[in-house]
Amino acid sequence: MSTGRIIVVGAGGIGCRFALEARQAGHGVTLVDEHPQSVKAMSLDAPYFWGNGLPAALRNRVAVAQSVLGSNEPLMACAEAEVDVRTGTIAWGAFQNSANSLHIGEPKVGIVSDEGNEMIAYDHLVLATGSRDFVPSFRGWELPGVLGVLAGSKLLDAYQCFEGERVLVLGTTAEAIALARSANENGVEIAGLVEPSSSFQGSPADLDWIRDAGIEVFLDTVIEGANGTTVIASATLVASDGSGAHREVACDTICVAIGTLPNIELAAAMGCALQFSEHCGAWLPQTTERLETTRPNVYWLSRYNRGSDQIARLLGAIGGTPRIAAQTESEEPNARTPADYLRLWLAALLRTGGKDVMLCQCETVSRGELIDLAPPKYLGSGLRQAKSPIVAGAIDQDLVKRMTRVGMGHCQGKRCRDEAALLLSIAHGVDLARIKPASYRFPVRPIDLTLISAEDDTVDTRERWPHWLEPYVQQE
């Protein structure tokens, strides 16, 4: 058990920059990152939507580690500056004393890797957990070859084992263009970009590059489904207004690049208060000017935060002066807010694909069954439909989860949670900010429980356990 340290969760650009600054300011810093991930961890689509059919090259752990670490120069700079770098390591929980946990002592973070489990005490915890993919349902989205934009970019640029040869990109966002550029540089053919509106979402420079590269943009179009049996052979595109015009596009990969959302699992599970951000259309931890959450000495460092000089503000709170020039960390401007664009896509997918598309793959629940709040099928057709969860124009997603089982699968709702909230908003006319997000629980990643279980009871547990039963023994 090490003490008196800053723990940074997430080795993206902003997480690495802060870790390096904090180390140069004289702090002891531990930097934790999930990558490189094992194939088993990736198959559960956390933190990205990797989808089915992961490349066989991922099983070469040594080559993958070299590629992933070699592609992250800021991470290597942290290691050279004597930051305690933990890669391939999951931060599965964070604990402080509270009403229900009185014996935690020093605040701690639980981390686990192939080498085992460890509880690390900290003085300051910085959550730089980045983004996760948003991948809505459509016919055939469970086929190998459907993946999110963050997963696709990671396979191309970090893991360097992208197997697709002809990729159809859904969306014309800045992230979609970045993936198309990377794919193009790696010799992957782009089958086209699909856009449900009549306007390209990227910048004029992005549009010029698309035209120069000879890539087709399908405007006023949405995907109806992926076609194939064991692999994707093509995609069916339809007019987004539901007029029925169809077009088949040959492809072996479909990359969904319509938006990403912040990773808030760890912050939410440890009890940080959340608030809805109209700017990014998602729930974020509440923070002070110095980025501290409602949990003491726990900070949220993210590109979703408004304003610049985040590292300077955070170092000011912890103690230190930045040496690297400040960089603005904010969302790229768009004609629409991220939530509006996701809603545009989802409304078009619902209009053209209908209610029978499978929304929750783990629990086999369709879009229609969620919208109609139908009880789980295994309970029998005679079960009475539950009372509506809409109270005073608001919806509790945890209640909907219990009613329909959407989000209760082994992926912990990572595939369907956000689409479910948007569908409820569209179908029932409830503002997205009025849909309370479903809760998160530790461990925030699907992991082998044997890795985090104690080999033996502690002395305290052995001494106290019999006393918990005394009142019941005396009653008998």
Side-chain angles (χ1 to χ4, degrees):
M1 176 94 50
S2 55
T3 60
R5 302 185 62 86
I6 296 173
I7 299 178
V8 182
V9 180
I14 193 170
C16 286
R17 287 200 301 275
F18 173 78
L20 188 58
E21 291 276 14
R23 183 72 190 103
Q24 291 173 341
H27 295 285
V29 182
T30 296
L31 178 61
V32 178
D33 195 77
E34 293 175 285
H35 300 284
Q37 287 187 294
S38 67
V39 174
K40 183 177 182 179
M42 296 171 79
S43 68
L44 296 169
D45 290 329
Y48 304 149
F49 188 95
W50 304 101
N52 298 320
L54 290 163
L58 290 170
R59 299 190 181 279
N60 188 335
R61 298 292 297 275
V62 174
V64 164
Q66 290 177 342
S67 298
V68 172
L69 300 181
S71 68
N72 193 337
E73 293 183 7
L75 179 67
M76 303 310 294
C78 288
E80 292 173 1
E82 298 184 343
V83 171
D84 177 20
V85 175
R86 310 287 189 94
T87 56
T89 301
I90 297 172
W92 60 268
F95 309 91
Q96 294 182 346
N97 279 349
S98 64
N100 294 323
S101 303
L102 301 177
H103 305 291
I104 298 297
E106 295 179 284
K108 299 175 180 68
V109 174
I111 63 173
V112 66
S113 67
D114 288 344
E115 298 177 358
N117 181 51
E118 185 178 357
M119 298 291 287
I120 307 179
Y122 66 85
D123 288 334
H124 302 280
L125 173 60
V126 178
L127 303 178
T129 46
S131 306
R132 53 193 169 87
D133 284 314
F134 177 87
V135 177
S137 58
F138 51 85
R139 180 181 58 78
W141 73 304
E142 74 285 353
L143 282 171
V146 177
L147 71 167
V149 64
L150 294 177
S153 297
K154 205 73 172 179
L155 288 174
L156 280 165
D157 302 328
Y159 288 83
Q160 298 178 15
C161 54
F162 190 90
E163 288 190 338
E165 296 181 357
R166 182 173 166 83
V167 181
L168 180 69
V169 180
L170 306 186
T172 58
T173 61
E175 292 160 321
I177 307 307
L179 178 128
R181 286 178 182 271
S182 180
N184 185 267
E185 291 169 0
N186 283 277
V188 179
E189 184 181 0
I190 305 299
L193 276 68
V194 180
E195 170 59 45
S197 72
S198 57
S199 58
F200 185 83
Q201 299 298 301
S203 68
D206 289 336
L207 184 56
D208 288 341
W209 178 82
I210 289 293
R211 287 170 174 164
D212 291 342
I215 299 172
E216 187 170 4
V217 179
F218 303 101
L219 296 176
D220 296 313
T221 303
V222 72
I223 186 170
E224 183 277 326
N227 307 311
T229 52
T230 58
V231 295
I232 293 174
S234 66
T236 300
L237 306 183
V238 297
S240 56
D241 62 3
S243 61
H246 286 64
R247 177 171 181 172
E248 295 291 315
V249 176
C251 60
D252 59 14
T253 305
I254 297 172
C255 186
V256 184
I258 69 176
T260 59
L261 295 168
N263 270 323
I264 63 168
E265 296 98 319
L266 196 56
M270 69 183 302
C272 298
L274 305 177
Q275 62 185 3
F276 188 79
S277 168
E278 296 290 349
H279 167 61
C280 65
W283 291 81
L284 302 175
Q286 294 180 17
T287 59
T288 65
E289 179 63 26
R290 290 192 168 187
L291 306 181
E292 187 173 17
T293 69
T294 54
R295 301 295 288 177
N297 299 321
V298 178
Y299 306 86
W300 172 254
L301 189 63
S302 170
R303 71 188 181 96
Y304 294 95
N305 288 337
R306 303 307 299 268
S308 60
D309 299 332
Q310 288 190 61
I311 291 176
R313 283 187 278 159
L314 184 47
L315 273 178
I318 292 176
T321 303
R323 300 184 183 187
I324 301 174
Q327 298 188 35
T328 300
E329 293 288 343
S330 59
E331 289 285 79
E332 292 290 332
N334 248 331
R336 299 178 174 88
T337 67
D340 288 339
Y341 192 60
L342 297 183
R343 182 184 291 271
L344 172 73
W345 260 97
L346 205 54
L349 288 170
L350 182 61
R351 182 167 54 248
T352 57
K355 290 185 174 184
D356 292 335
V357 171
M358 200 59 62
L359 163 67
C360 179
Q361 295 181 16
C362 301
E363 298 291 328
T364 60
V365 182
S366 69
R367 293 174 184 163
E369 287 167 331
L370 169 77
I371 291 171
D372 297 337
L373 302 172
K377 292 184 284 290
Y378 62 82
L379 293 178
S381 59
L383 185 70
R384 185 177 63 185
Q385 188 170 21
K387 185 179 178 182
S388 172
I390 305 173
V391 178
I395 296 177
D396 185 330
Q397 200 173 2
D398 268 329
L399 181 56
V400 173
K401 181 172 71 173
R402 296 185 187 102
M403 293 167 63
T404 65
R405 294 198 64 82
V406 170
M408 278 195 171
H410 68 268
C411 80
Q412 298 178 333
K414 291 175 176 63
R415 293 179 179 140
C416 61
R417 164 194 297 263
D418 303 297
E419 180 181 359
L422 276 164
L423 280 173
L424 292 170
S425 174
I426 293 170
H428 297 284
V430 177
D431 191 337
L432 198 58
R434 299 276 290 162
I435 298 180
K436 182 182 177 182
S439 57
Y440 294 95
R441 294 179 176 85
F442 300 134
V444 296
R445 291 285 185 264
I447 58 177
D448 289 332
L449 294 182
T450 55
L451 293 175
I452 63 174
S453 62
E455 293 181 1
D456 192 11
D457 291 336
T458 63
V459 174
D460 185 65
T461 300
R462 283 199 299 271
E463 291 180 350
R464 289 176 174 271
W465 178 263
H467 300 294
W468 297 351
L469 303 177
E470 284 180 359
Y472 303 98
V473 173
Q474 291 173 358
Q475 288 176 10
E476 291 181 358

